[in-house]
């Protein structure tokens, strides 16, 4: 997702009081993700009450306009949330300026220093919620005008760089070299439960391999389209935006070998090793789609966005199959799927086991482990059971851990909250290291060049549908089998109750 950096001498120090500077504060990423995440951390007392948040962007805004921008996507569920938001906004300020003008960053420096004097802040976290085209100008300006060190000034400095990091292997390496000349990688820096599930439960250890697992699906679905930001999205496409970073990160956690320890570097070592066993994706193992109008005509298609170039072939949906050529996973397809303007919002890992040998029972569905990352975090194991009664009919049952019902007094943080908190605490384990980024681009760069040259036409699909035609066949080609039996997943909320008052919902697997 992101890269962070911190000076080597400053690693692991979580005792500092931070000033958080959001660069690109007027953009969509900042208002939809960064500021809601910062508010979540503040509300749940993960940020010090004296933490100050400074927004910086080219757009001119007064304080009232900025507060409206910050608040737009913050969800308020209780009166306490409303009170917390008012307190949070008092900690936020805004300053406009260009991304390549020293005098503007010098003005920003004056504002930061004023805040540090009043709050007692001893650390700075710069969050670059910016397009890659301005990473280097902004990083250069920061280094020249706003960078401090603990040794000289008593101020710790950290930097978060948002994805996508480059367009391909070559541009990623160029960005890495240029950023590296300014900040070393220890200065530049999800699914934590997945590691515990894998390595703290003996029942999964013996089956987490090619002998037992038939295929793995990792899915990311968004209900919204580009919503007027198609021009920006069109430069990258769904593979660069989601698959090459988010989904590949999840794959590496699913597939990696046990690390020597839980230290950030040991975890990242194993993630890199598994990525190096994956050859570049071939054209035959890719399916692309692009959304059109919704069936009722109410939602516009991708090409209806006036900011999108006429006749663009940029995919808004992609499915790709990767193979890991090592002893544990040889022959097991890992299917990555992601798309915009689909029927639901979810991020999910689905591990499907092989068929039961022999024919003692007929019509059996395969066992599956499903890990839902968001929304409504859950882990459930699908297994076969006997239907109640006198017969021997089999049904699909489950071992279900839905976090919202099992841990109803716990706070489940959003992904961006965890990301920012890890950066504040100096925990690099969930951030991308240079060699990991390099290995990831080697996998995707050849197919991205093929796509950019227009050699793969995206299949149209309706806004709000499950994706383009052919996805089910694509998955079946690589081994995924939908069970013949219907699976009803129990829900524990009023929204999931049927007419008889029973909790249930029929699961959709793709």
């Amino acid at each position: 997702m992101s890269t962070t950096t911190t000076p080597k001498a400053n690693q692991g120090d979580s005792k500092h009081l931070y000033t958080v500077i959001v660069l690109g504060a007027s953009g969509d990423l900042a208002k939809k993700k960064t500021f809601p995440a910062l508010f979540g951390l503040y509300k749940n007392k993960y940020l010090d009450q004296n933490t100050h948040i400074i927004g910086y962007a080219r757009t001119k805004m007064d304080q009232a306009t900025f507060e409206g921008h910050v608040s737009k996507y913050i969800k308020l569920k209780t009166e306490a949330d409303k009170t917390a938001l008012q307190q949070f906004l008092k900690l936020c300020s805004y300053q406009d300026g260009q991304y390549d003008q020293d005098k503007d960053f010098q003005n920003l420096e004056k504002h930061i220093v004023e805040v540090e004097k009043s709050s007692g802040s001893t650390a700075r976290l710069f969050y670059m919620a910016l397009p890659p085209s301005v990473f280097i100008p902004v990083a250069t300006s920061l280094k020249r005008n706003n960078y401090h060190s603990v040794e000289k000034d008593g101020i710790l400095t950290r930097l978060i760089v948002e994805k996508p990091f480059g367009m391909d292997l070559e541009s990623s390496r160029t960005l890495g070299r240029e950023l590296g000349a300014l900040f070393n990688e220890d200065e530049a820096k999800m699914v934590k439960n997945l590691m515990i599930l894998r390595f703290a439960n003996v029942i999964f250890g013996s089956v987490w391999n090619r002998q037992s697992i038939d295929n793995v699906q990792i899915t990311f679905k968004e209900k919204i389209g580009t919503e007027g930001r198609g021009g920006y999205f069109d430069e990258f496409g769904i593979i660069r935006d989601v698959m090459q970073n988010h989904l590949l990160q999840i794959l590496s956690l699913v597939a990696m070998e046990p690390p020597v320890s839980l230290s950030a570097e040991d975890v990242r070592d194993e993630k890199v090793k598994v990525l190096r066993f994956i050859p570049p994706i071939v054209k035959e193992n890719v399916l692309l789609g692009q959304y059109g109008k919704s069936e009722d005509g109410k939602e516009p298609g991708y090409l209806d966005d006036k900011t999108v170039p006429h006749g663009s072939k940029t995919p808004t949906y992609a499915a790709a199959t990767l193979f890991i050529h090592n002893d544990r996973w040889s022959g097991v397809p890992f299917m990555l799927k992601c798309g915009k303007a689909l029927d639901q919002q979810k991020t999910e890992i689905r591990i499907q086991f092989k068929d039961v040998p022999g024919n003692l029972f007929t019509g059996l569905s395969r066992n599956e482990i499903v890990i839902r990352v968001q929304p409504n975090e859950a882990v459930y194991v699908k297994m076969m059971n006997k239907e109640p009664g006198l017969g021997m009919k089999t049904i699909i049952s489950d071992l279900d851990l839905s976090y919202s019902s099992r841990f109803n007094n716990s706070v489940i943080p959003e992904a961006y909250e965890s990301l920012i908190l890890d950066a504040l605490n100096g925990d690099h384990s969930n951030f991308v290291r240079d060699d990991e980024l390099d290995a990831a681009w080697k996998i995707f760069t050849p197919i991205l060049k093929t796509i950019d040259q227009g050699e793969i036409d995206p299949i149209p699909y309706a806004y709000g549908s499950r994706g383009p035609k052919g996805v089910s066949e694509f998955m079946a080609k690589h081994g995924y089998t939908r069970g013949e039996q219907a699976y009803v997943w129990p829900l524990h909320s009023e929204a999931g109750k049927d007419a008889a008052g029973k909790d249930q919902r029929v699961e959709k697997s793709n």
Side-chain angles (χ1 to χ4, degrees), residues 12-72:
D13 188 347
S14 60
K15 298 179 182 178
H16 289 274
L17 171 62
Y18 275 86
T19 300
V20 179
I21 302 95
V22 180
L23 301 143
S26 63
D28 266 26
L29 176 63
K31 72 179 177 183
K32 291 179 179 178
K33 298 293 184 181
T34 313
F35 288 120
L38 288 166
F39 173 70
L41 292 173
Y42 174 80
K43 180 183 71 172
N44 293 308
K45 305 188 186 309
Y46 287 106
L47 290 184
D48 189 277
Q49 297 295 307
N50 293 315
T51 298
H52 197 88
I53 298 160
I54 301 171
Y56 182 89
R58 291 176 292 204
T59 305
K60 292 187 179 297
M61 285 190 283
D62 58 23
Q63 182 65 20
T65 304
F66 175 61
E67 290 181 4
H69 182 81
V70 168
S71 307
K72 186 172 182 180

Side-chain angles (χ1 to χ4, degrees), residues 227-503:
E227 297 187 330
R229 296 182 66 250
Y232 172 78
F233 178 85
D234 200 77
E235 185 180 352
F236 302 102
I238 195 68
I239 292 179
R240 291 184 179 95
D241 191 47
V242 177
M243 187 179 288
Q244 183 271 342
N245 38 72
H246 291 300
L247 299 194
L248 200 63
Q249 277 279 295
I250 297 176
L251 180 150
S252 66
L253 289 171
V254 172
M256 73 181 190
E257 297 299 315
V260 174
S261 75
L262 291 176
S263 74
E265 293 313 305
D266 286 340
V267 171
R268 297 202 290 185
D269 284 345
E270 295 304 329
K271 289 164 68 180
V272 172
K273 285 179 186 177
V274 79
L275 293 181
R276 287 177 173 167
F277 280 111
I278 303 175
I281 301 168
V282 297
K283 185 177 178 180
E284 293 72 26
N285 289 339
V286 171
L287 181 147
L288 304 179
Q290 186 186 87
Y291 72 85
K293 286 185 181 352
S294 60
E295 291 184 358
D296 60 11
K298 293 181 180 179
E299 298 293 347
Y302 179 70
L303 296 179
D304 296 324
D305 187 331
K306 294 180 180 179
T307 65
V308 173
H310 178 72
S312 170
K313 289 187 176 182
T314 297
T316 60
Y317 180 98
T321 302
L322 288 69
F323 292 91
I324 303 171
H325 291 177
N326 64 7
D327 182 62
R328 182 184 293 272
W329 296 112
S330 181
V332 177
F334 282 73
M335 291 173 268
L336 310 185
K337 300 179 296 175
C338 53
K340 289 182 171 292
L342 296 171
D343 60 328
Q344 59 179 307
Q345 179 93 17
K346 75 172 181 180
T347 304
E348 178 182 276
I349 305 160
R350 182 177 297 268
I351 298 165
Q352 188 173 77
F353 291 87
K354 293 181 180 294
D355 291 318
V356 176
N359 297 306
L360 189 59
F361 300 97
T362 59
L364 293 181
S365 294
R366 287 175 169 176
N367 296 145
E368 293 182 345
I369 298 174
V370 182
I371 303 163
R372 194 176 330 101
V373 180
Q374 63 86 25
N376 304 320
E377 292 86 345
V379 177
Y380 56 103
V381 180
K382 293 170 62 177
M383 55 187 289
M384 300 307 300
N385 200 1
K386 176 185 172 297
E387 186 176 63
L390 298 176
M392 286 291 288
K393 184 179 179 181
T394 59
I395 59 170
I396 303 174
S397 187
D398 58 72
L399 301 174
D400 177 24
L401 172 57
S402 296
Y403 280 36
S404 57
S405 58
R406 179 65 178 84
F407 303 110
N408 51 17
N409 292 322
S410 298
V411 176
I412 301 173
E414 297 291 335
Y416 274 76
E417 292 178 37
S418 297
L419 177 147
I420 294 171
L421 188 61
D422 284 348
L424 295 174
N425 290 336
D427 180 356
H428 296 185
S429 57
N430 287 314
F431 293 91
V432 179
R433 202 168 63 187
D434 279 356
D435 53 349
E436 184 178 351
L437 193 63
D438 209 59
W441 278 119
K442 285 180 180 178
I443 297 167
F444 281 93
T445 293
I447 194 64
L448 284 169
K449 287 183 177 179
T450 300
I451 293 168
D452 291 344
Q453 290 165 3
E455 295 182 20
I456 304 177
D457 291 328
I459 302 168
Y461 63 96
Y463 191 117
S465 68
R466 297 182 69 186
K469 290 182 179 179
V471 175
S472 295
E473 291 79 5
F474 178 86
M475 292 159 53
K477 179 178 75 171
H478 293 289
Y480 175 69
T481 300
R482 294 186 68 113
E484 298 177 9
Q485 298 162 289
Y487 169 61
V488 177
W489 181 48
L491 289 180
H492 305 284
S493 64
E494 291 299 319
K497 288 187 177 181
D498 66 8
K502 296 179 180 179
D503 291 330

Side-chain angles (χ1 to χ4, degrees), residues 64-136:
T65 304
F66 175 61
E67 290 181 4
H69 182 81
V70 168
S71 307
K72 186 172 182 180
Y73 286 90
I74 291 177
K75 297 176 182 178
L76 304 176
K77 299 178 180 178
T78 64
E79 287 300 318
D81 287 351
K82 294 179 182 179
T83 301
L85 177 60
Q86 294 307 310
Q87 295 169 342
F88 175 74
L89 292 174
K90 291 177 182 177
L91 303 176
C92 298
S93 61
Y94 180 78
Q95 185 159 332
D96 66 86
Q98 298 302 308
Y99 293 140
D100 57 356
Q101 298 293 321
D102 280 346
K103 63 182 178 68
D104 290 338
F105 281 88
Q106 288 161 10
N107 290 332
L108 175 62
E109 177 67 12
K110 291 176 183 177
H111 185 44
I112 297 172
V113 170
E114 289 175 5
V115 167
E116 288 172 338
K117 286 180 179 178
S118 62
S119 67
S121 171
T122 56
R124 299 175 178 184
L125 176 65
F126 292 95
Y127 192 117
M128 292 173 64
L130 297 163
S133 58
V134 296
F135 282 174
I136 300 306

